[in-house]
Amino acid sequence: MNLELIEVAGHASMMYAVRVGEVLYAADALFGPDALAKHPLTFCQDSALQKEAAARLGELEGVGVTLPGHGAPEADLGALVRANLEAYSRTTAAVEGAVRAGVAGVDELLARVCDALGVQMREPGAVVLNRAVVSAHLTELLEAERVTMTVTGNRLLFTAQG
């Protein structure tokens, strides 16, 4: 039986999923439904790559069971991929909505996104991780020219395009 490594950067750089026969260990490229519900701001280093990696995994044929990075084994890879892509896109939309609510820096945008998604952060570690998530989605939106950034009064500010 062959072992196949599949690059799935996005959650982290140089991350790989592993496929052996009909079993796919998706690493943190895919999360189970319970993990997605518990963590609406799914951690990523690069949100565009995260989406691309999930979509590529969804194109694999002959996968009988998928082991997400967090969650129970899943028999329906397509449904799992769709759930992850919807969650990732929901975060991007929340970040864009936060920017459209008015010019702001990352910390204010993080608060707006958390309010929109019903996230309550109670520990500094959660703020640091979720701030990185919002920053990753801001980078995706910047590259898509849906937001702009400027420096005003020694602060990095984001503004919606159009």
Side-chain angles (χ1 to χ4, degrees):
M1 193 168 294
N2 291 335
L3 176 115
E4 179 183 3
L5 296 177
I6 304 162
E7 184 181 2
V8 289
H11 175 79
S13 63
M14 297 185 64
M15 190 172 69
Y16 291 87
V18 179
R19 181 177 183 175
V20 179
E22 295 182 0
V23 177
L24 173 66
Y25 170 64
D28 284 342
L30 298 175
F31 296 86
D34 291 342
L36 292 171
K38 183 177 179 183
H39 303 287
L41 289 169
T42 306
F43 183 80
C44 63
Q45 183 179 30
D46 184 317
S47 58
L49 281 179
Q50 182 183 44
K51 292 171 188 168
E52 290 173 22
R56 270 189 284 105
L57 289 178
E59 295 171 359
L60 295 175
E61 295 182 10
V63 174
V65 64
T66 301
L67 307 170
H70 299 270
E74 296 283 336
D76 188 344
L77 174 60
L80 184 62
V81 167
R82 283 189 298 279
N84 277 263
L85 289 174
E86 288 170 8
Y88 303 158
S89 294
R90 189 170 35 255
T91 301
T92 304
V95 172
E96 187 170 11
V99 176
R100 291 200 177 282
V103 177
V106 175
D107 290 318
E108 175 59 27
L109 294 172
L110 172 60
R112 291 176 189 173
V113 168
C114 287
D115 289 345
L117 296 176
V119 173
Q120 292 295 314
M121 299 181 296
R122 292 181 175 82
E123 298 178 13
V127 175
V128 171
L129 287 175
N130 289 330
R131 191 177 197 276
V133 173
V134 168
S135 294
H137 287 269
L138 283 168
T139 299
E140 178 182 352
L141 292 166
L142 281 163
E143 290 173 356
E145 298 181 353
R146 290 162 50 188
V147 301
T148 59
M149 66 179 169
T150 57
V151 176
T152 304
N154 294 320
R155 294 179 25 220
L156 183 64
L157 301 174
F158 294 86
T159 306
Q161 288 282 70

